[in-house]
Amino acid sequence: MTLNDNATTRLSIAVLGTCDTKLQELFYLRSQILSHAEDASVTLIDVGRSPVSDPAITIPQDELLQKYGPSTPAHLSTLPRNQVTQTMTDCATACLEDLHSRGSIHGVISAGGSNGTALTSAAMRRALPFLFPKLIVSTMASGDTAPFVGESDITLMYSIVDIAGSNSILNGVLDNAAGGIVGMARAYQKRQIPSQHQTEDSTVPQKPKTKIGITMFGVTTPAVDRIREHLTTHHPSTEIYIFHATGHGGRAMERLIATHHLTAIIDLTTSEITDHIVGGVLSAGPHRLEAGLAAGIPYIISVGACDMANFGPRHTVPEHFTNNSERKIHAHNEAVTLVRANAEESRRIGEFIAGKVREYCKRPEMVEIVLPTQGISPLSVKGGPFEDQEADEALFAGIEGGLSEGMVGVRVVREERDVNDGGFAVGLAERVMRLVERGEDEGG
């Protein structure tokens, strides 16, 4: 079956699933989508291990492999399960990229268990941009969803019961999911159509907004609020994007930088680096800072909340911390326990930052590092539970020492304020705008 030629004007939704194991459930999902949008087109894509023949399958497994698979494919039946999953993930990714690039779909939905969720979520993450509707009904949606969602905007819906057979609970879940993806796809489709006002003004050149990403944690919220207030009041041509420094937040920001969705960064809260170095649970991984530095965009780096590694409830903190009487530990709330980075760890955090700048900085004149010497978080100010001048100095020296040679143009500035000081926050806002203006003057 071929795709409808009117797919770009009709609401069109892709259904992704393993037809060899979930055929009837996928058919029911398809029927409910059409019941919520009778004018819609549904593209059912089979990503199963074994081929299934049915006229309702728009892109059968063999066609998917032939069009989007390797040039010399091995027979799937001869491959171990993990290789089959990888092959079908690659094919599904290429298929979704193709359909999206042609404007042939306005949303994608799938339903499955652990293997199906791993396959379809990976294809969605790799193939589709932020804001494109992606929904998965999954038995794995209640638990650790990080492997499936990552830094993407996939919506997971828990199936309550296994996705096997037909019963009133599963049918209700699939019906809700069908209604959800129809609504999401209609909203997305509407955004793709220029409004009458936009059309009338299309001949008038519009200066694009300066899209500024800012990293935030609970303990740096006062500073971020002040930065945002100052920018929106005094620089109304800016659009502000706040990223929660939870690991996924940092990765989401880096992805948006890499795909040219952000034009400047105030990386106030780089605490994900501390989690990476110390072993906390909110690490963004080893590639933090790379995208912004490599992009050559205006980039302000600070060390907000770099004094703390994050863990869950107290009993989840590793014993090598809790058994050390010299280690400072603070209960942020019942669910979050903070461990103070010591001097040696702080030095390594500083060296990490300096190393990334040395290796990835494309335009040194667009990068400034600003260090609040009176407290890198509210806990580290004088008299606070994490006050440790030795550790703070090790952090600052790690950055400064690592950039003392070979990085002409990158400014490292110490400010005698704490991270949430209003003057410090306004200063960061004005620093980034000066870099933005410099880039515009240079035609960058």
Side-chain angles (χ1 to χ4, degrees), residues 104-143:
S104 299
I105 53 173
H106 305 105
V108 60
I109 186 171
S110 71
S114 61
N115 195 62
T117 303
L119 191 162
T120 58
S121 64
M124 292 181 194
R125 289 195 312 271
R126 289 159 51 180
L128 301 170
F130 288 116
L131 305 185
F132 185 90
K134 321 167 192 69
L135 194 156
I136 302 176
V137 180
S138 175
T139 59
M140 305 298 290
S142 181

Side-chain angles (χ1 to χ4, degrees), residues 263-266 292-301 357 361-369 407-411 431-444:
T263 51
I265 303 295
I266 300 177
L293 293 166
I297 60 177
Y299 198 176
I300 304 296
I301 299 172
V357 173
C361 186
K362 180 180 179 180
R363 299 178 66 191
E365 72 278 9
M366 285 290 140
V367 178
E368 293 186 10
I369 302 175
M407 282 310 301
V408 177
V410 174
R411 294 187 63 200
R431 284 178 184 277
V432 82
M433 291 311 300
R434 284 196 294 271
L435 294 181
V436 167
E437 292 166 5
R438 180 189 300 174
E440 291 174 347
D441 291 341
E442 295 174 357

Side-chain angles (χ1 to χ4, degrees), residues 18 76 97 113 181 258 380 441:
T18 55
L76 289 188
E97 285 178 338
I181 194 62
S380 291
D441 291 341

Side-chain angles (χ1 to χ4, degrees), residues 20 47-50 61 65 69-70 72-91 115:
D20 55 346
V47 295
R49 180 185 184 115
S50 303
Q61 183 242 42
L65 283 167
T72 55
H75 198 281
L76 289 188
S77 63
T78 67
L79 299 177
R81 182 183 179 93
N82 64 329
Q83 291 186 27
V84 172
T85 299
Q86 186 58 57
T87 298
M88 298 312 296
T89 299
D90 293 342
C91 291
N115 195 62

Side-chain angles (χ1 to χ4, degrees), residues 121 125 140-141 143-152 154 156 248 251:
S121 64
R125 289 195 312 271
M140 305 298 290
D144 181 9
T145 62
F148 308 122
V149 178
E151 70 278 12
S152 76
I154 292 173
L156 289 181
H248 293 301
R251 284 196 290 269

